[in-house]
Short mmCIF file of all heavy atoms in Angstrom, two decimals:
data_model
loop_
_atom_site.label_atom_id
_atom_site.label_comp_id
_atom_site.label_asym_id
_atom_site.label_seq_id
_atom_site.Cartn_x
_atom_site.Cartn_y
_atom_site.Cartn_z
N GLN A 174 103.33 124.40 53.43
CA GLN A 174 101.90 124.20 53.34
C GLN A 174 101.22 124.98 52.20
O GLN A 174 100.33 124.40 51.50
CB GLN A 174 101.24 124.29 54.65
CG GLN A 174 101.58 123.29 55.73
CD GLN A 174 100.97 123.61 57.08
OE1 GLN A 174 100.78 124.76 57.39
NE2 GLN A 174 100.71 122.57 57.82
N TYR A 180 96.05 125.86 52.22
CA TYR A 180 95.12 127.01 52.81
C TYR A 180 94.10 127.33 51.76
O TYR A 180 93.63 128.49 51.68
CB TYR A 180 95.81 128.18 53.28
CG TYR A 180 96.90 127.83 54.50
CD1 TYR A 180 98.08 127.46 54.24
CD2 TYR A 180 96.34 127.89 55.77
CE1 TYR A 180 98.87 127.10 55.33
CE2 TYR A 180 97.08 127.53 56.87
CZ TYR A 180 98.58 127.18 56.69
OH TYR A 180 99.30 126.94 57.66
N SER A 185 90.82 122.79 54.58
CA SER A 185 92.19 122.53 54.46
C SER A 185 93.00 123.50 55.41
O SER A 185 94.04 123.08 55.87
CB SER A 185 92.69 122.65 52.95
OG SER A 185 92.44 124.04 52.55
N THR A 186 92.48 124.73 55.65
CA THR A 186 93.16 125.59 56.54
C THR A 186 93.19 125.06 57.92
O THR A 186 94.21 125.08 58.58
CB THR A 186 92.33 126.90 56.54
OG1 THR A 186 92.50 127.59 55.13
CG2 THR A 186 92.96 127.90 57.55
N TYR A 187 91.97 124.56 58.39
CA TYR A 187 91.86 124.03 59.77
C TYR A 187 92.87 122.75 59.93
O TYR A 187 93.60 122.58 60.82
CB TYR A 187 90.54 123.61 60.14
CG TYR A 187 89.62 124.68 60.34
CD1 TYR A 187 88.39 124.67 59.73
CD2 TYR A 187 89.93 125.79 61.21
CE1 TYR A 187 87.44 125.88 59.88
CE2 TYR A 187 89.15 126.96 61.31
CZ TYR A 187 87.88 126.85 60.69
OH TYR A 187 87.03 127.96 60.85
N LYS A 188 92.81 121.96 58.82
CA LYS A 188 93.75 120.78 58.98
C LYS A 188 95.28 121.21 58.88
O LYS A 188 96.07 120.54 59.59
CB LYS A 188 93.51 119.90 57.74
CG LYS A 188 94.43 118.59 57.61
CD LYS A 188 93.87 117.84 56.38
CE LYS A 188 94.75 116.42 56.32
NZ LYS A 188 94.42 115.69 55.07
N SER A 189 95.56 122.19 58.08
CA SER A 189 96.97 122.63 58.05
C SER A 189 97.42 123.33 59.29
O SER A 189 98.58 123.01 59.72
CB SER A 189 97.14 123.60 56.83
OG SER A 189 96.86 123.12 55.54
N LEU A 190 96.49 124.06 59.90
CA LEU A 190 96.93 124.62 61.23
C LEU A 190 97.07 123.67 62.23
O LEU A 190 98.02 123.83 63.01
CB LEU A 190 95.86 125.67 61.58
CG LEU A 190 95.83 126.96 60.78
CD1 LEU A 190 94.59 127.81 61.22
CD2 LEU A 190 97.00 127.84 60.95
N GLY A 191 96.34 122.64 62.23
CA GLY A 191 96.30 121.58 63.25
C GLY A 191 97.82 120.80 63.05
O GLY A 191 98.56 120.52 64.01
N MET A 192 98.21 120.61 61.71
CA MET A 192 99.45 119.85 61.59
C MET A 192 100.65 120.83 61.80
O MET A 192 101.58 120.37 62.31
CB MET A 192 99.44 119.50 60.02
CG MET A 192 98.48 118.41 59.61
SD MET A 192 98.58 118.11 57.86
CE MET A 192 100.20 117.43 57.73
N LEU A 193 100.38 122.11 61.62
CA LEU A 193 101.47 123.06 61.86
C LEU A 193 101.87 123.00 63.38
O LEU A 193 102.94 123.00 63.81
CB LEU A 193 101.06 124.58 61.40
CG LEU A 193 102.05 125.60 61.74
CD1 LEU A 193 103.20 125.57 60.88
CD2 LEU A 193 101.31 126.92 61.35
N PHE A 194 100.81 123.19 64.20
CA PHE A 194 101.02 123.18 65.62
C PHE A 194 101.62 121.91 66.26
O PHE A 194 102.31 121.98 67.05
CB PHE A 194 99.79 123.80 66.42
CG PHE A 194 99.42 125.22 66.22
CD1 PHE A 194 98.35 125.56 65.57
CD2 PHE A 194 100.34 126.21 66.75
CE1 PHE A 194 97.99 126.88 65.32
CE2 PHE A 194 100.01 127.49 66.44
CZ PHE A 194 98.79 127.85 65.87
N SER A 195 101.04 120.82 65.74
CA SER A 195 101.47 119.54 66.20
C SER A 195 102.99 119.23 65.78
O SER A 195 103.73 118.91 66.63
CB SER A 195 100.59 118.37 65.77
OG SER A 195 100.72 118.27 64.19
N ASN A 196 103.35 119.70 64.51
CA ASN A 196 104.75 119.50 64.17
C ASN A 196 105.58 120.63 64.92
O ASN A 196 106.82 120.25 65.18
CB ASN A 196 104.86 119.86 62.63
CG ASN A 196 104.23 118.74 61.80
OD1 ASN A 196 104.18 117.55 62.23
ND2 ASN A 196 103.81 119.02 60.59
N LEU A 197 105.07 121.74 65.26
CA LEU A 197 105.83 122.65 66.02
C LEU A 197 106.23 122.15 67.31
O LEU A 197 107.30 122.44 67.89
CB LEU A 197 105.20 124.01 66.11
CG LEU A 197 105.75 125.16 66.74
CD1 LEU A 197 107.14 125.51 65.96
CD2 LEU A 197 104.94 126.31 66.86
#
Side-chain angles (χ1 to χ4, degrees):
Q174 289 177 330
Y180 297 91
S185 62
T186 297
Y187 291 132
K188 183 179 179 180
S189 297
L190 287 175
M192 294 176 63
L193 176 66
F194 287 114
S195 62
N196 288 335
L197 183 63

